[in-house]
Amino acid sequence: MRSFYRLLPVGLALVTTAGLAQTCPPGNPLVTPMTRFVVTTPVAGQTVVTDQVTGLVWKPCSEGQSGATCNGPAAQDDWQGALGRANDATHAGFDDWRLPNREELLSIIETGCFNPAINTTAFPSTEAELYWSSTTEAANPIAAWVVNFDTGAVGIINKTDTFRRVR
């Protein structure tokens, strides 16, 4: 089955920006200052990030990355694989990890920066790529919502597309 992609009014860059440094233009207010996030280490060598606004607990690294600075490339999966990878994760003593829904994933977007559009202190080495959400597109159940951590935009991708990351 062919993948499809639908642009939304906010747009979505399809250009890979790996290797470029995060850009935070002067005058753009940061909406997710580090004071919003609390980094703790419940298990030696395994940190988590708690969002003080939403109460959600996040892994600082994308799935597939490891270490204090989130070394290595993020894993790439289709939507079913992303759901399974998140549900099977055990990290920092927790076994109830899940793939975030679209709104949860959007809640950690840093709109004052791009490439990547996230707080890189709390979430180091986040790839400026598309990340799966658990949210199915209501009008098209073979598609799911993704969040672009290059620009902070959202889009819809066929669930069989295998080149999306997992947070």
Side-chain angles (χ1 to χ4, degrees), residues 25-81:
N28 275 8
L30 299 182
V31 296
T32 54
M34 192 54 202
T35 55
R36 175 179 172 167
F37 300 111
V38 175
V39 179
T40 57
T41 308
V43 172
Q46 296 184 6
T47 60
V48 295
V49 178
T50 302
D51 183 332
Q52 305 243 79
V53 172
T54 65
L56 294 172
V57 176
W58 299 86
K59 291 182 185 181
C61 300
S62 302
E63 287 296 321
Q65 295 178 316
S66 62
T69 58
C70 301
N71 301 316
Q76 297 181 20
D77 280 302
D78 64 10
W79 188 74
Q80 283 295 332

Side-chain angles (χ1 to χ4, degrees), residues 14 45 63 66 126 150:
L14 295 177
E63 287 296 321
S66 62
T126 296
D150 178 24

Side-chain angles (χ1 to χ4, degrees), residues 41-161:
T41 308
V43 172
Q46 296 184 6
T47 60
V48 295
V49 178
T50 302
D51 183 332
Q52 305 243 79
V53 172
T54 65
L56 294 172
V57 176
W58 299 86
K59 291 182 185 181
C61 300
S62 302
E63 287 296 321
Q65 295 178 316
S66 62
T69 58
C70 301
N71 301 316
Q76 297 181 20
D77 280 302
D78 64 10
W79 188 74
Q80 283 295 332
L83 289 172
R85 184 181 293 273
N87 289 339
D88 292 344
T90 57
H91 177 78
F94 299 103
D95 63 1
D96 58 348
W97 296 103
R98 61 178 173 77
L99 194 62
N101 67 41
R102 180 185 65 193
E103 297 309 312
E104 292 168 339
L105 202 52
L106 280 170
S107 76
I108 60 172
I109 287 293
E110 174 50 70
T111 60
C113 301
F114 62 94
N115 187 33
I118 194 168
N119 183 306
T120 57
T121 301
F123 303 100
S125 301
T126 296
E127 295 183 11
E129 299 287 343
L130 301 177
Y131 281 74
W132 285 115
S133 81
S134 64
T135 307
T136 294
E137 161 59 16
N140 188 359
I142 66 166
W145 288 91
V146 292
V147 173
N148 183 339
F149 276 93
D150 178 24
T151 62
V154 297
I156 301 164
I157 298 287
N158 188 308
K159 291 179 178 179
T160 59
D161 189 316

